[in-house]
Amino acid sequence: MTENPPPCPRCSCAYTYEMNALVVCPECGHEWVPAEGAADAGAVGAVAEKVVRDSVGNVLQDGDSVVVVKALKVKGSSSGIKAGTKVRGIRLVDGVDGHDIDCRIDGFGAMQLKSSVVKKS
């Protein structure tokens, strides 16, 4: 959540607020996605880069180190990944079903994780 959401593009109201992925204007009722407004203001044909955030809102990048924040079950393994396990050298991917981190975990091998279960370290 941003500290100061952008003003309303329709009525210029400064009292906008965020509701999930939308920004809402209480005066005129206009709802919009902030990324759309940024893309409209940018150059024509510019591609918006996908931003991946961890469980506490930090922006993740390729090569970062993260810590698993909750215990995870692993199919085909009698033990799972414990909370507090450190993962080094992550790679951001467009995964399936929300799995947007590709990594290698000692003792488990290569796997994909959701950004909602890790915290940047």
Side-chain angles (χ1 to χ4, degrees):
M1 185 185 254
T2 60
E3 293 180 15
N4 296 321
C8 178
R10 284 197 182 161
C11 68
S12 301
C13 173
Y15 300 107
T16 58
Y17 61 93
E18 291 186 13
M19 183 171 53
N20 297 332
L22 297 175
V23 177
V24 180
C25 176
E27 290 185 6
C28 68
H30 179 61
E31 299 178 348
W32 74 98
V33 177
E36 287 179 0
D40 293 342
V44 175
V47 177
E49 194 171 319
K50 182 180 175 187
V51 176
V52 178
R53 296 184 182 270
D54 66 0
S55 62
V56 294
N58 298 323
V59 177
L60 296 174
Q61 297 177 351
D62 286 343
D64 283 344
S65 294
V66 294
V67 175
V68 178
V69 294
K70 72 179 214 176
L72 303 172
K73 295 180 182 177
V74 178
K75 288 184 181 178
S77 175
S78 60
S79 63
I81 299 172
K82 295 180 181 179
T85 302
K86 189 163 186 166
V87 181
R88 294 180 180 89
I90 65 169
R91 187 175 53 215
L92 302 178
V93 296
D94 289 330
V96 179
D97 197 29
H99 294 83
D100 46 11
I101 297 175
D102 199 14
C103 62
R104 183 172 180 85
I105 299 177
D106 294 336
F108 291 97
M111 62 176 37
Q112 291 186 338
L113 297 173
K114 292 183 178 183
S115 59
S116 61
V117 298
V118 299
K119 179 176 75 170
K120 190 173 182 178
S121 60

